[in-house]
Amino acid sequence: MHADPHLKLAQAQVRGALRGSGYTPAVKAFFDETTFTASYVVHDPALKRAAIIDPVLDFAQRSGRTSTRSADLIVDYVRELGLKVDWLLETHAHADHLSSAPYLQEKLGGKLAIGREILRVQDVFGTIFNEGTDFARDGSQFDHLFDDGDRMEIGEIPFTALHVPGHTPADMAYIIGDAAFVGDTMFMPDYGTARADFPGGDAAMLYRSIKRLTQLPDETRVFLCHDYKAPNRTEFAWETTIGFERTANVHVHEGVSEDDFVAMRTARDATLAMPQLILPSIQVNIRGGHFPEPENNGTAYLKLPLNTL
């Protein structure tokens, strides 16, 4: 097996935080039950520098109206604690909710960032939605594009970006101190893993990405993007550990081979309906959370491609 220098750096970062030689971030979750999405504010308690991860814009599909109720909860929290937002981080271009990152950026500042492979997602869905040449497919809707292994800081807390494709080509996990924000790679151990049948998805890549993440120290705190309540569980949950995922995840625990996982994931994905908000969400999220340009009547429109997905 080839050495993975970026993973080794992330492992060392987490171990340092666990030993007390690195800062441990404070994490506040905001769970939107309508889309089953967990958004996060993560900050350095000493310097009060913060990042916001995967924020939700409320969207009523029947009326086409948006609201900022969920985002305003984040604004209130950040202002109450006196935090300075440095980053607005997207783990990927979500298919289940619209991003409120531009609204939060206007209110709180910070750089909007995603993985560099968003260019592939923009290209694929730019074609599906027939966006034409006015739609830039170069990631310029974002302030920063992360490559695998990029290192940053939030205050004095080290922060490593890891590319973890499979659910989409562009998925990133953000390892901040001893906390891993893994997007849609894994769910709670009793629920399993994310689907891999969207355009550009790949179940084998997802397996390898999850195995990469589960090489982080067992004590690493894991914060998930979604929860749907596993059978026999009555409460939503979105925090676990790498050790629990590695040993107990019902889809990909130790002993499950790549071939077995791919077969399971392919069969399971074939039974799943498309996410309810995939068509509006993708059109907005490949633009960094911005709406398409208004037409000559001042109204922005979203497209509905027929018989395509």
Side-chain angles (χ1 to χ4, degrees):
M1 182 178 293
H2 296 295
D4 187 338
H6 304 320
L7 178 62
K8 287 184 180 299
L9 284 171
Q11 291 169 330
Q13 168 192 307
V14 173
R15 291 190 185 106
L18 292 169
R19 288 195 303 266
S21 59
Y23 287 87
T24 299
V27 180
K28 171 69 173 176
F30 296 82
F31 189 74
D32 175 49
E33 193 167 333
T34 301
T35 62
F36 307 104
T37 301
S39 306
Y40 299 97
V41 176
V42 51
H43 76 272
D44 178 340
L47 298 185
K48 295 196 171 184
R49 313 295 292 201
I52 298 170
I53 302 175
D54 292 336
V56 172
L57 181 71
D58 302 292
F59 177 66
Q61 189 170 23
R62 291 181 180 178
S63 65
R65 290 194 170 274
T66 63
S67 71
T68 59
R69 176 189 56 82
S70 295
D72 286 331
L73 294 174
I74 292 176
V75 172
D76 291 345
Y77 175 80
V78 167
R79 289 177 173 170
E80 180 182 351
L81 268 63
L83 305 179
K84 171 66 175 177
V85 174
D86 293 326
W87 292 99
L88 297 151
L89 303 175
E90 299 286 3
T91 54
H92 62 293
H94 305 274
D96 36 41
H97 69 270
L98 282 66
S99 172
S100 63
Y103 173 78
L104 290 170
Q105 189 174 42
E106 178 184 339
K107 295 289 186 181
L108 300 171
K111 291 182 179 180
L112 174 57
I114 199 167
R116 186 171 300 278
E117 292 300 310
I118 189 63
L119 275 66
R120 289 182 56 191
V121 178
Q122 288 179 328
D123 188 52
V124 168
F125 282 99
T127 299
I128 288 173
F129 290 109
N130 196 30
E131 293 290 355
T133 57
D134 288 341
F135 171 62
R137 294 162 168 82
D138 59 2
S140 57
Q141 300 87 348
F142 300 85
D143 300 313
H144 186 85
L145 301 179
F146 287 114
D147 292 307
D148 187 40
D150 277 355
R151 302 270 287 179
M152 304 284 179
E153 290 182 338
I154 295 174
E156 294 183 343
I157 298 176
F159 158 22
T160 302
L162 296 179
H163 183 216
V164 287
H167 173 61
T168 79
D171 283 63
M172 299 298 292
Y174 300 115
I175 317 302
I176 303 173
D178 69 338
F181 300 86
V182 299
D184 284 13
T185 53
M186 299 179 283
F187 298 139
M188 289 298 290
D190 59 358
Y191 198 88
T193 57
R195 66 195 298 165
D197 61 332
F198 295 151
D202 186 302
M205 281 188 177
L206 180 61
Y207 178 89
R208 295 168 201 161
S209 292
I210 292 170
K211 290 299 181 181
R212 188 186 193 203
L213 289 171
T214 55
Q215 293 179 65
L216 291 168
D218 282 355
E219 301 91 340
T220 307
R221 295 182 291 161
V222 176
F223 295 92
L224 311 170
C225 192
H226 297 288
D227 187 57
Y228 304 98
K229 287 184 186 174
N232 304 317
R233 177 153 55 83
T234 60
E235 300 293 330
F236 289 110
W238 46 81
E239 180 180 353
T240 182
T241 66
I242 285 293
F244 199 20
E245 290 283 11
R246 182 175 55 77
T247 60
N249 187 289
V250 294
H251 291 168
V252 70
H253 56 80
E254 288 177 325
V256 175
S257 71
E258 181 176 318
D259 287 345
D260 287 344
F261 176 80
V262 170
M264 177 281 300
R265 191 68 265 171
T266 302
R268 183 176 174 85
D269 289 350
T271 70
L272 301 177
M274 284 287 104
Q276 182 176 344
L277 295 181
I278 184 171
L279 295 176
S281 293
I282 291 293
Q283 290 176 78
V284 170
N285 294 339
I286 59 175
R287 291 176 163 87
H290 294 281
F291 301 134
E293 287 296 317
E295 298 191 7
N296 58 11
N297 62 355
T299 300
Y301 291 87
L302 297 172
K303 295 180 179 180
L304 184 68
L306 300 178
N307 304 315
T308 301
L309 296 181

